[in-house]
Amino acid sequence: MEKIGRTKIIDLLKREDFGATVNVKGWVRTRRGSKQVNFIALNDGSTINNVQIVVDLANFNEDLLKLITTGACLSVNGVMVESVGSGQKVEIQAREIDVLGTCDNTYPLQKKGHSMEFLREIAHLRPRTNTFGAVFRIRHNMAIAIHKFFHDRGFFYFHTPIITASDCEGAGQMFQVTTMNLYDLKKNEAGSIVYDNDFFGKQASLTVSGQLEGELAATALGAIYTFGPTFRAENSNTPRHLAEFWMIEPEVAFNDIADNMDLAEEFIKYCVQWALDNCADDVKFLNDMFDKGLIERLLGVLKEDFVRLAYTDGIKILEEAVAKGHKFEFPVYWGVDLASEHERYLVEEHFKRPVILTDYPKEIKAFYMKQNEDGKTVRAMDVLFPKIGEIIGGSEREADYEKLLARIKELGIPMKDMWWYLDTRKFGSCPHSGFGLGFERLLLFVTGMSNIRDVIPFPRTPKNAEF
Ligand code: 4AD
Ligand code: MG
């Protein structure tokens, strides 16, 4: 076969130099036609759109034609011609076809219309479907948007450790990291495991958040963000929880809670706008195929200011709803950790736009949040979104050494894990704030997918670590 430089399908479909000889490589999506001429829809992943290859059967050997089946990988040399029937401006009149990889009829993606559940069982192949191609191209674009947003505003990308000895959120939901022989654990007289001889000489885990180390950096570099995987061993089998997910955590010196809210709102709107501007074909596909309200919802978020509301006022609204006969599965009272149904009621039914809920009871929030004068609440903020519920969690941080120390002791957090964190408050402490955006929750919003397992290539959830 003649060697011609490959053109990606995304670029080819924009060309207008009809008559040019080109090469494309990709996977067969469908093949149809008559005894004289066949039409192959070829996709190479660069775009959701396929290019149509027109094959004049008389020009090709029968043995070769037999190998052109759904899923097979082809290299095609041909002439670019203007198309009338393919849904695209361009199609290729095939001159030479090389079958790079055959695909027999055990290929599970022969037919269209598989359920999301089935596709999760073949997560190694699902990127070849239109839907997952779209989702993973959007995922890439969102990562780029995030780096660009922060870089353009003078934030530094700071790498926090994945293996850690401290529990940032204090929720005890950590996966342990050990090289000890689990069949022969050394214990002390009290029956506790002795970690002296373990790899790190102490108990270590996978991080639940890069925030604590992020704060160290923010109080030196001024404004930083992290963007990495985080791990939570919470046994929640919900459409919004993963055991391994990616989090973006900006942290900014001298920002108070109002600045933090402004940053969160600007950041999310930037990401949504980026998806509309840079992933138009994929977003439109997902809108048309899965979620007819998707584009409207994305535009809606851009248009409106987010509501800013104290937790206490949020509870009042929910209590009034209950009094008027609205049924929630979980009870509503001051002090309760809001369930997703409560969050979504505020966003979708009451305000009909995103809500930033602030000043939560300290008992349901982490130790590092700045304590309010009332002694009961902390300067926390959760950004609540339509269809998602909590998409961001953050706070102004407690900058006062004595108050932070008192809270750490009150909660029984071991000092041996926290001395270095407390040093930031001892040496030139400053007001500072930050938040964490769940990357997959953002992707749920932007793609309109309804299960978080479908916006990460290889989901890790309770009882599932396949692939
Ligand atoms: O609210 P969270 O637990 O806050 C923190 O971890 C803080 N350290 C962030 C900070 O202030 N720097 O988690 C932040 C976000 C949530 O709002 C949610 O979007 C996402 O992370 N998240 C999860 N996403 C998927 N699966 C899970 N199990 C998640 N847990 C939290
Ligand atoms: Mg939270």
Side-chain angles (χ1 to χ4, degrees):
M1 182 157 158
E2 189 190 347
K3 178 137 177 91
I4 302 171
R6 173 186 169 218
T7 305
K8 285 193 183 177
I9 291 172
I10 189 170
D11 299 322
L12 185 95
L13 294 178
K14 292 180 202 145
R15 283 172 60 171
E16 290 182 346
D17 52 332
F18 305 113
T21 303
V22 295
N23 170 266
V24 290
K25 294 182 171 70
W27 294 269
V28 176
R29 282 292 167 81
T30 56
R31 176 180 167 186
R32 61 188 179 80
S34 65
K35 286 206 173 85
Q36 287 78 38
V37 57
N38 271 197
F39 302 99
I40 301 167
L42 200 72
N43 188 281
D44 69 359
S46 61
T47 162
I48 187 126
N49 299 310
N50 305 324
V51 69
Q52 174 159 287
I53 314 287
V54 183
V55 185
D56 196 340
L57 299 187
N59 297 340
F60 292 88
N61 169 316
E62 215 169 284
D63 291 337
L64 176 97
L65 292 172
K66 266 193 223 140
L67 301 178
I68 304 178
T69 54
T70 300
C73 185
L74 308 184
S75 174
V76 179
N77 286 348
V79 179
M80 242 180 73
V81 293
E82 207 164 353
S83 171
V84 269
S86 77
Q88 303 292 339
K89 274 207 323 265
V90 182
E91 63 187 26
I92 294 176
Q93 201 78 49
R95 288 274 166 81
E96 289 178 286
I97 299 177
D98 189 9
V99 178
L100 300 177
T102 57
C103 186
D104 68 22
N105 62 12
T106 61
Y107 182 54
L109 295 172
Q110 309 272 354
K111 293 188 204 76
K112 288 185 181 169
H114 293 298
S115 71
M116 288 292 141
E117 288 76 15
F118 173 71
L119 291 173
R120 262 172 237 146
E121 289 169 19
I122 53 162
H124 60 306
L125 296 174
R126 67 179 182 166
R128 297 193 190 187
T129 62
N130 281 333
T131 303
F132 286 93
V135 167
F136 297 141
R137 278 186 298 270
I138 294 173
R139 189 178 165 105
H140 157 80
N141 273 285
M142 286 295 94
I144 297 298
I146 287 160
H147 285 300
K148 181 155 170 56
F149 176 86
F150 288 117
H151 177 73
D152 286 352
R153 285 160 185 74
F155 285 62
F156 300 105
Y157 180 27
F158 191 74
H159 295 108
T160 53
I162 286 175
I163 299 175
T164 174
S166 56
D167 181 358
C168 174
E169 294 306 301
Q173 295 171 324
M174 304 185 81
F175 289 101
Q176 271 198 62
V177 175
T178 181
T179 53
M180 292 194 299
N181 177 358
L182 298 182
Y183 295 100
D184 183 22
L185 290 174
K186 199 171 132 202
K187 295 194 180 152
N188 64 16
E189 278 131 44
S192 307
I193 295 167
V194 179
Y195 287 93
D196 300 6
N197 291 327
D198 199 359
F199 189 89
F200 297 105
K202 56 159 75 171
Q203 189 175 0
S205 306
L206 295 177
T207 191
V208 296
S209 157
Q211 179 196 325
L212 301 186
E213 293 89 351
E215 284 186 56
L216 309 182
T219 53
L221 302 170
I224 63 94
Y225 67 105
T226 71
F227 187 173
T230 49
F231 307 87
R232 294 196 187 178
E234 53 189 332
N235 205 358
S236 349
N237 243 320
T238 82
R240 283 178 312 279
H241 287 87
L242 291 165
E244 176 180 297
F245 63 100
W246 288 63
M247 194 165 22
I248 299 95
E249 297 184 271
E251 190 73 33
V252 188
F254 317 118
N255 265 11
D256 64 15
I257 187 78
D259 302 323
N260 207 32
M261 287 192 263
D262 292 343
L263 180 68
E265 184 167 344
E266 190 195 352
F267 174 48
I268 284 218
K269 286 181 169 169
Y270 181 93
C271 292
V272 169
Q273 185 70 58
W274 185 278
L276 289 167
D277 292 346
N278 296 279
C279 312
D281 287 353
D282 289 325
V283 169
K284 184 170 181 311
F285 171 82
L286 295 169
N287 182 85
D288 295 350
M289 294 301 293
F290 284 101
D291 180 356
K292 296 275 187 304
L294 173 63
I295 292 178
E296 202 178 300
R297 223 166 29 250
L298 297 182
L299 291 169
V301 159
L302 293 178
K303 214 167 51 216
E304 313 253 37
D305 290 338
F306 296 4
V307 174
R308 300 182 182 193
L309 183 79
Y311 168 92
T312 302
D313 296 325
I315 291 291
K316 278 189 201 137
I317 292 169
L318 293 169
E319 281 173 342
E320 277 161 23
V322 172
K324 283 189 200 135
H326 189 92
K327 295 260 178 297
F328 291 115
E329 192 183 338
F330 298 99
V332 177
Y333 53 90
W334 196 94
V336 76
D337 200 356
L338 295 182
S340 167
E341 55 169 346
H342 304 136
E343 298 172 338
R344 291 183 61 176
Y345 178 84
L346 291 173
V347 172
E348 291 166 26
E349 300 191 35
H350 191 81
F351 291 106
K352 300 194 166 48
R353 56 190 163 126
V355 174
I356 310 184
L357 212 54
T358 61
D359 302 288
Y360 283 74
K362 66 176 182 192
E363 281 74 23
I364 57 172
K365 289 294 178 186
F367 73 95
Y368 49 70
M369 296 192 181
K370 184 174 170 68
Q371 298 162 41
N372 280 324
E373 291 70 31
D374 63 11
K376 293 192 306 197
T377 59
V378 287
R379 240 163 266 183
M381 54 168 243
D382 278 9
V383 181
L384 313 179
F385 252 48
K387 277 195 77 179
I388 311 295
E390 180 190 336
I391 193 163
I392 281 181
S395 70
E396 185 169 341
R397 317 306 188 190
E398 182 54 77
D400 182 276
Y401 178 81
E402 295 301 336
K403 282 189 187 159
L404 182 59
L405 183 63
R407 190 72 183 132
I408 286 176
K409 284 189 178 151
E410 206 178 346
L411 291 171
I413 300 168
M415 274 305 288
K416 67 173 178 21
D417 293 343
M418 284 301 156
W419 64 271
W420 50 270
Y421 181 68
L422 279 159
D423 270 1
T424 51
R425 276 53 169 186
K426 229 197 255 172
F427 305 131
S429 185
C430 69
H432 61 286
S433 303
F435 60 81
L437 168 73
F439 189 44
E440 287 76 17
R441 299 241 178 125
L442 172 69
L443 285 166
L444 278 178
F445 184 70
V446 169
T447 62
M449 303 296 282
S450 49
N451 194 312
I452 200 163
R453 292 164 178 79
D454 300 328
V455 295
I456 187 166
F458 303 104
R460 268 73 184 103
T461 50
K463 303 275 178 293
N464 173 41
E466 194 69 40
F467 311 108

